[in-house]
Amino acid sequence: MADRRCCGVNACQITLIISLVCMTAGCITLIAVIATMNSHKDSERRGEPYLIGVGRADCTGPPAEIPLMGYANTQQTAAGIHTRLYSRAFIIDDGKKRVLFVTADVGMISQRLRLEVLQALQVKYGDLYRQDNVVLSGTHTHCGLAGYFQYTLFMITSKGYIKASMEPLVNGIVKSIDIAHRNIRPGRIYRNRGQLDDSSLNRSPHSYLNNPEDERRRYKWNTDKQVVVLKFTDVDGDGIGMLSWFAVHAVSMNYTNRMVSSDNMGYASYLLEQDKNPGELPGQGSFVAGFSSSNLGDVSPNTRGPFCVNTGLPCDYLNSSCPIGGTKMCQSFGPGRDMFDSTRIIGHNIYKKAKELYATAAEEVTGSIQSAHQWVDMTNVTVQLDDKNTVTTCKPALGHSFAAGTIDGGGDLNFTQGAVEGDPFWDGIRDSLVGPPSNQTKECHHPKPILFSTGEMNWPLPWHPRIVDVQMITVGSVAVVAVPGEMTTMSGRRLREAVKQELESEGTLRDMEVVIAGLSNVYTHYITTYEEYQVQRYEGASTIYGPHTLTAYLHKYRGLAKAIAQDSVAELPVGPEPPFFTKNLFNLMPAAPVDRKPDNTSFGDVLEQVYPIYRQGDVASVTFVAGNPRHSGDIRDKTFVTVEIYDNRTDTWEVVHTDASWETRFQWLKGSNRQSNATIEWHIPPSALSGSYRIRHFGHYKQMNGLRPIITSYEGSSDVFKVSTSLYYL
């Protein structure tokens, strides 16, 4: 009995133990399955394509009389077209969240431009495209139209807020988004990076050398040479678009140019799109190639460097000036024989490297999409450095060296870079015109000698923005940091490092590629390191929120990155909304007057005719009686120029070039007595077929019928001429 009870008890215990083990094993298995499912959500995401849409649209405004944006030269007004300007949009959707990145051929995105675009998107799409998931970035061409700002400083140098400039930008950007939205389809993204040499130069090396030596030792160059490429394909692997970032100023076209131009970055886009859209005219075809700006603040494409143009001697190293002529005579030059050739060389270099990286991109971008955004009052950001020290930003102010300009375009007055003391003469003029800066602002900005205390100037509207966008989007292993200004090389390096560290801190994001999208969302001039700021060259003098501007941005972008890493973006404070001014915007542009023409001529008549025959490599030129291009209204998706070849087989003329083509130049000359001419050049490429050609010009002129203006279209054509490999054409 005792033995049986013992055996019986042991059997029960064994049964119970087996049951418990089975239950435990089942629970462990269930937990493991759940954990595996959770841990492999991104793996499942990796197995699925994104939804991708790309789009491109013309955003060129009227190329006449309106100032060009970038060099702040009031004499540099538009007078024709070198190349057209485009907006390129990229939409990425993971099925749950969506982001939209736009790179536009524009000097920078102004706050007003962003707000008007977001308003238009709200009307069309509701809450699908918002301030938190839409990034607008400018390529930083200095040859696009000005007049799309709402802050007084920019309006003064741009002849005001000009609707004729703003409307084509807003409509062009929105149209590129519309096209991308309509074209959304499943696709994949691949990333690649490489190094591009001989295409950039640090234009403030003295400032760069003020950064800590141990920090500088970590880098081979004093500019960032890396090119980052995202390759977009459909599910079959066919390319649909490319997005690239490279840090260089789009100032190959200098301040003497008066034609609208997309400059070197735009030419890189032009080349790749022509490659991928064979047989299409510029601006047409489904493949979209966007070349975006990055931390280009101290980076010039003028690789031959500066020298005194009046003597040929080197400029002063510390202040970039010449003994005779000052800063205006100290100019840097690109690698080409003129600005057009330099634009071609630098643009081709960028294109060639991006094309190579696009072709070899094999690392697929996978994972979920996130976006984070805040509005920040940049005049009052406090950062705790350690247990004892805090720093704060300042009300906006520009230093004396701001007026000196750079080696890419010096100022006209006797200011020099590197000024850490004011000038009694200019300070006196400033005080009598706009008043002196407060002691608080002077102390906050030290050692900057303040030329304009723009944060204390509010008539008729604030001179500078106070509320600024900070924004970041992530697509799998790629983070795009939208920076509202021009970061210097070292500032960008610190920001990328800080963001990458924060994104990867939680372990959920790994191997992040962090890129900086410059000139995004709102323009706030430059962002130098604290050490560069002390030198007060142009970039430091233009760091408007004071010496701790970068520290404040690092703090804010770390916050965005942390929120993304912890999936707590919803908890971020939205911040104070920026203003949208409806009163006191001013426009100093007078209406375009009526057009007149020489006696016994008509608009479109030829004043200077082409030659009968040209060879490849020659320049065919023809001059027409023209109207003011401002009278042509909305010129998007139109052209002032066609170059046409005669097709013997069909007895028709075929357009081979428009004013969007690199090979054409449309130059408008405003003459006396309200008469104007249009000269069209065709720089005949080696690839031009032998045959019969003509050049046509299209435009509009204005006349008055009593008090009512009448706008009339016109067109003209050159004589037919031959292009041949030999001048002896039979």
Side-chain angles (χ1 to χ4, degrees), residues 299-317:
V299 188
S300 170
N302 296 315
T303 52
R304 285 164 56 195
F307 59 88
C308 297
V309 294
N310 51 352
T311 65
L313 298 174
C315 304
D316 181 89
Y317 175 75

Side-chain angles (χ1 to χ4, degrees), residues 58-125:
D58 191 347
C59 59
T60 313
E65 301 180 313
I66 298 172
L68 300 181
M69 184 66 203
Y71 292 108
N73 180 355
T74 56
Q75 302 303 310
Q76 191 189 20
T77 55
I81 294 177
H82 174 225
T83 55
R84 283 196 169 240
L85 310 180
Y86 291 94
S87 170
R88 296 172 172 90
F90 300 81
I91 298 172
I92 309 169
D93 190 313
D94 66 0
K96 295 180 179 179
K97 294 183 180 179
R98 175 175 294 197
V99 291
L100 162 62
F101 184 89
V102 173
T103 177
D105 291 327
V106 65
M108 61 285 292
I109 301 298
S110 74
Q111 188 175 81
R112 182 62 176 233
L113 176 57
R114 174 171 168 84
L115 292 175
E116 292 201 20
V117 168
L118 288 174
Q119 285 182 0
L121 293 176
Q122 169 70 29
V123 170
K124 282 194 168 192
Y125 300 104

Side-chain angles (χ1 to χ4, degrees), residues 163-272:
K163 285 188 176 181
S165 291
M166 178 65 86
E167 288 177 353
L169 287 175
V170 173
N171 294 337
I173 290 172
V174 171
K175 183 176 179 179
S176 71
I177 296 168
D178 290 340
I179 295 170
H181 182 86
R182 290 198 303 267
N183 290 337
I184 285 178
R185 53 185 148 162
R188 300 191 183 277
I189 306 173
Y190 302 87
R191 77 181 198 186
N192 205 356
R193 64 150 50 210
Q195 179 175 301
L196 175 58
D197 299 321
D198 302 322
S199 298
S200 59
L201 174 90
N202 193 303
R203 68 186 189 186
S204 284
H206 182 53
S207 296
Y208 181 87
L209 287 173
N210 211 44
N211 290 307
E213 184 178 358
D214 59 341
E215 182 180 37
R216 287 186 281 111
R217 280 181 183 156
R218 295 167 51 198
Y219 304 99
K220 184 178 180 181
W221 307 100
N222 61 4
T223 63
D224 281 337
K225 305 290 187 181
Q226 75 264 18
V227 178
V228 177
V229 161
L230 296 184
K231 175 180 182 177
F232 299 90
T233 73
D234 60 20
V235 289
D236 296 324
D238 295 325
I240 59 175
M242 187 222 66
L243 191 51
S244 173
W245 290 268
F246 177 61
V248 70
H249 256 79
V251 291
S252 292
M253 299 294 290
N254 65 41
Y255 64 89
T256 66
N257 170 59
R258 293 184 59 195
M259 288 184 286
V260 169
S261 174
S262 59
D263 211 289
N264 47 43
M265 300 296 272
Y267 185 52
S269 291
Y270 174 91
L271 288 172
L272 191 56

